[in-house]
Amino acid sequence: MSKRYRPIGGNKEKTADVRIIAATNEDMQSAVAEKRFRQDLFHRIKEYTLHIPPLRECREDIMPLAEFFRELANKEFGKQVKGFNAEARKRMLVHPWAGNVRELKGTVRSAVLFTDGIGLRLTNWSSRKVSYLVKRHYP
C-alpha cells in the first residue's frame, strides 16, 4: 500500500511503497518498557507477528532440513554424499541446535565438505563441536 509523506524540511509530498520484515530474539515488550526501543516505532512495525519456534521444538523438521542442506552442499562442492548413518541421524535428532537452522546447515555443510566418501557418520558429538568421521561405504 502506497503512503504519502512530506520529508522534514521539504515542501513537496512524496509517495513510498515500503514493506519491512524484521526478526529478533529480543523480548520487544521488555525493550519498550525499559526504554531501549521506541514505543511508537514498535507499534508501527508490529502489525503482523509470526512466531517461529526453535528447531529443538520441531524435531520432525531436522532430517528433512539436513537432507536438503546435504543436497545443496553436494551441488556446491561437487560431491555425491548420499546420506547419514543411523547414529548420525540419532545424534542430530537429540542435539539442542542452539544455533537453530543455521547451525544445522553449517554442520551438514562441513560434513559434506570434509568427506571423500559417500556417507556421513558424525562422531565425538558435543554441544560446541562436531567432528566428522567419513565412511567409505554408506551403511
Side-chain angles (χ1 to χ4, degrees):
M1 163 191 324
S2 293
K3 297 274 185 161
R4 298 185 64 77
Y5 70 97
R6 185 181 321 218
I8 295 174
N11 57 8
K12 292 185 179 178
E13 284 192 344
K14 295 187 175 190
T15 303
D17 185 8
V18 177
R19 303 288 188 273
I20 298 173
I21 299 174
T24 184
N25 59 1
E26 174 80 33
D27 178 352
M28 293 306 294
Q29 298 283 16
S30 295
V32 169
E34 296 168 6
K35 307 249 187 259
R36 292 182 292 115
F37 196 86
R38 287 181 24 201
Q39 185 175 21
D40 63 316
L41 181 57
F42 173 69
H43 289 295
R44 287 179 185 266
I45 64 175
K46 185 187 167 264
E47 189 169 336
Y48 300 102
T49 302
L50 297 175
H51 172 72
I52 301 173
L55 189 55
R56 68 182 166 274
E57 293 176 13
C58 303
R59 299 282 174 204
E60 68 278 5
D61 294 337
I62 292 172
M63 290 315 302
L65 284 168
E67 293 293 347
F68 174 74
F69 294 139
R70 180 186 52 77
E71 285 299 319
L72 285 180
N74 273 338
K75 289 176 186 170
E76 180 180 356
F77 302 127
K79 302 270 189 160
Q80 293 183 356
V81 176
K82 300 292 184 197
F84 306 92
N85 74 354
E87 181 64 18
R89 287 190 297 272
K90 178 181 167 186
R91 289 180 180 203
M92 291 171 79
L93 290 172
V94 299
H95 186 68
W97 299 111
N100 284 310
V101 175
R102 283 190 190 115
E103 181 184 1
L104 175 63
K105 180 180 180 181
T107 299
V108 172
R109 190 171 181 269
S110 294
V112 171
L113 176 63
F114 293 117
T115 186
D116 60 356
I118 60 169
L120 298 171
R121 190 174 102 193
L122 305 180
T123 60
N124 301 328
W125 192 277
S126 74
S127 61
R128 294 193 175 269
K129 182 180 178 185
V130 179
S131 62
Y132 305 94
L133 175 64
V134 179
K135 294 186 79 172
R136 294 260 180 222
H137 302 285
Y138 186 71

